[in-house]
Amino acid sequence: MATILGVLLFLVVLGAHTLIAAVMTRFLRLRLDTTWGTAIYVAFLIPIVLLTSTLVVSGPLGIGIDLETTVAVLTVMILLPGVLGVAIDVLYVEHPDEYELPEPTD
């Protein structure tokens, strides 16, 4: 029973990491107008946030399963959700310029 709960909590953390990466990418696309800014943000800031979250969740909270190697942890908990979150935002959510916003009234 404990392993089933561990796997379920692991999947919840993976989903949360994907959501974090997608929301951070969306925020980036709304705020930045440069291509290099996007690349730097996605390559450095999102993995730092996901790494911090992984350390907090797996360390003091003890949530998840033992992936045994550092490479497995970095791949499964940071790289996979990061790439999936960015892909979801870039491929499946409309570009911010495509939204028509109403004109502000005084």
Side-chain angles (χ1 to χ4, degrees):
M1 184 66 173
T3 58
I4 294 173
L5 181 61
V7 169
L8 288 176
L9 289 173
F10 171 73
L11 293 174
V12 167
V13 170
L14 238 104
H17 277 193
T18 304
L19 180 67
I20 290 169
V23 168
M24 287 181 71
T25 305
R26 174 48 92 186
F27 179 76
L28 157 84
R29 290 177 72 193
L30 290 174
R31 295 291 179 181
L32 294 179
D33 292 329
T34 66
T35 305
W36 284 105
T38 303
I40 292 170
Y41 186 87
V42 168
F44 294 108
L45 193 57
I46 292 175
I48 289 172
V49 171
L50 295 182
L51 177 65
T52 305
S53 172
T54 300
L55 291 174
V56 168
V57 167
S58 64
L61 299 180
I63 294 175
I65 58 176
D66 185 18
L67 295 175
E68 295 186 13
T69 65
T70 306
V71 174
V73 171
L74 291 176
T75 302
V76 173
M77 296 298 290
I78 297 168
L79 184 65
L80 179 68
V83 169
L84 188 58
V86 170
I88 288 171
D89 184 61
V90 171
L91 297 176
Y92 296 109
V93 180
E94 291 183 23
H95 195 273
D97 295 337
E98 295 176 8
Y99 288 109
E100 292 185 24
L101 300 175
E103 294 296 325
T105 58
D106 292 329

